Structures are given as structure tokens and as C-alpha cells.
Amino acid sequence: MMERWKGRVALVTGASVGIGAAVARALVQHGMKVVGCARNVDKIEKLAAECQSAGYSGTLIPYKCDLCNEEEILSMFSAIKTLHQGVDVCINNAGLAHNEPLLSGRTDGWRNMIDVNILALAICTREAYQSMKERHVDDGHIININSMGGHRMVPSADEHFYCATKYAVTAVTEGLRQELREAKTHIRATCISPGIVETEFAFRHHNSDPERAAAVYESIKCLKAEDIAGAVTYVLSAPAHVQIGDVQMLPVEQVS
């Protein structure tokens, strides 16, 4: 069922490492034109070369974009329109966490999480929908990479504000689904909510304590970025009449 996406355009935010890179690779492998954006595109350029060398039928186009800056996001969508007509699939993957508890956290850390985890996701969603609408694309898909932290609060003060932003992603995705239905479109919206995934995320989150970050991944057999990429292709492969609202994924050994 991925055949219908061959040659069509996907945007993947936060595509330089981890889940974003794995998703970008998988979509290129299935023949899509993938615009992979990040603040630093060096790793995306390397991944694009790897995809080409592997003989994948799609292409990966690196695009430098700071998702905290709305003007840069709008410029990116304008460039995609000029070069590739528009976005058919939007994968809102970019996200981050800071150790900023509710009782003692720094406002700038909270604001950064809101800017990336909520506002950038909402802006990209809006612009992707408008791109689809103006081209009469009625089978597009918007996929938000959420977290199990968007469904239950982790008992750790360092995670509480991050979880709040992910609860917002859960709400935004359901609101989006309702608005798409009211607009009488067949564009679909899906949330993919993984538990612990072994990526660079914990090392960035606990950047002052690499031993603590390593311990997160050593405690159990974690999900891999490729597992989430597999969930993305599963969702995109669903028949046109099937709406997959939320995919919740946990390592077998993760308690909750």
C-alpha cells in the first residue's frame, strides 16, 4: 500500500538524528521525495548520500530550518511549493526536553519546549494542510510523533513540563482530526506515541549527566528508531477508509 506514495512529497522535521532520520530513510526507501529539516543539515546531507548509494527509489532533500522561528518555517514551505509543488505528508517529529521542574524550572527552558514541541508542530500542520487544500490533495496525512508522556505523567520532576507539552500534542492531534472531519476532507491525522526509544534524546535531555542518560537505555531493551519508522509506514499504508488515531508503543519490559 506504500506504492501510492511513490514520487509524492513528505516533510520530516527533526530529520538529522534518531526517529526523524529513520523515518526519512524509510520513506525514501519507499520512493518518496522527502524534505528533511533540522537546524544543522550536515547529518541529513550524509544520510541523503547514503540513500542514494543504497539505490533507494526516492530522494532526500536536506533543508536548514530553525523551528523556533516561524518565518523560517514559512520560508521552508514556500521553497517546497516552488521546488516540489507542496507537501502531501507531514511528519511532525521534532521535539526536545529540558530538565526544568515545575517548581524550580527556568522560563526559557519551558518556552523552548513550547516553541518546538507545540507551536512548531501546529504551524507545520497548518501550512501542510493549506498546501494540500490549495492543490486539492484529499488523501494527505499528518503524523505527529508524540510520546507515552502525552498519555500519562512520568513520576519525575525533570519530565513534568515535557509531559505537559506532549499532552498538548495529544489534544492538538484530536482537535485536528475533528477539524479535518468538519472540513469534509479525507486528509488523515495520526499520533504515534512511543515509550523509551534508544536515540540521542536522553543524552540531550541529560546533557550534564551522560551516565544518567546511558542508564535510561541500559535498564531495559528499548525501542529502536526503526520501530517508529515502521509504525509510520504502517499508518501510511492503511486503506483510505481507515483512520488510525493513535499508535501507542512500549518496549515489552517497560512498566508503563
Side-chain angles (χ1 to χ4, degrees):
M1 293 293 288
M2 283 297 291
E3 274 296 310
R4 70 188 182 91
W5 295 112
K6 196 166 186 177
R8 299 182 71 181
V9 179
L11 170 65
V12 180
T13 67
S16 60
V17 295
I19 293 171
V23 170
R25 180 191 293 272
L27 297 184
V28 171
Q29 199 167 359
H30 284 285
M32 296 193 74
K33 295 178 184 174
V34 179
V35 177
C37 82
R39 284 179 300 175
N40 188 322
V41 296
D42 291 350
K43 291 181 179 178
I44 305 178
E45 289 171 347
K46 182 180 177 183
L47 178 59
E50 290 174 3
C51 290
Q52 188 174 15
S53 297
Y56 295 160
S57 55
T59 54
L60 176 56
I61 303 106
Y63 195 95
K64 183 178 175 63
C65 181
D66 181 357
L67 293 172
C68 292
N69 186 324
E70 183 174 6
E71 290 304 314
E72 290 197 21
I73 297 174
L74 298 181
S75 294
M76 175 175 65
F77 274 90
S78 178
I80 293 171
K81 179 179 180 179
T82 300
L83 298 171
H84 310 289
Q85 285 72 60
V87 172
D88 301 308
V89 173
C90 180
I91 314 289
N92 287 309
N93 164 74
L96 51 80
H98 297 298
N99 294 335
E100 305 294 353
L102 295 171
L103 298 182
S104 59
R106 294 173 300 121
T107 304
D108 60 346
W110 294 342
R111 185 175 289 113
N112 189 217
M113 284 186 272
I114 290 172
D115 285 346
V116 176
N117 297 359
I118 306 173
L119 283 178
L121 177 146
I123 294 167
C124 287
T125 294
R126 179 191 67 203
E127 297 305 310
Y129 170 71
Q130 293 298 331
S131 172
M132 295 173 199
K133 182 181 178 182
E134 71 182 17
R135 293 175 296 121
H136 305 291
V137 170
D138 196 46
D139 65 343
H141 210 131
I142 297 166
I143 299 176
N144 295 329
I145 306 300
N146 196 2
S147 166
M148 284 304 296
H151 301 275
R152 81 284 189 270
M153 187 60 70
V154 176
S156 168
D158 290 345
E159 315 288 340
H160 289 162
F161 198 93
Y162 167 75
C163 285
T165 66
K166 290 301 185 177
Y167 266 84
V169 172
T170 301
V172 165
T173 308
E174 175 57 18
L176 172 62
R177 188 189 66 80
Q178 293 184 17
E179 290 189 27
L180 290 170
R181 185 178 59 195
E182 289 167 8
K184 301 190 185 309
T185 174
H186 294 96
I187 297 167
R188 292 180 285 184
T190 301
C191 211
I192 295 179
S193 303
I196 301 174
V197 186
E198 189 171 358
T199 64
E200 294 184 7
F201 187 88
F203 290 95
R204 292 180 173 182
H205 182 28
H206 304 295
N207 57 2
S208 61
D209 191 351
E211 289 186 4
R212 182 180 177 186
V216 171
Y217 298 139
E218 290 170 359
S219 59
I220 61 172
K221 183 174 178 57
C222 303
L223 298 175
K224 303 293 184 184
E226 291 74 19
D227 297 325
I228 317 308
V232 169
T233 56
Y234 167 76
V235 165
L236 288 173
S237 299
H241 68 285
V242 177
Q243 168 77 54
I244 299 175
D246 197 352
V247 178
Q248 297 185 20
M249 306 173 66
L250 284 170
V252 171
E253 300 172 36
Q254 187 173 341
V255 176
S256 65

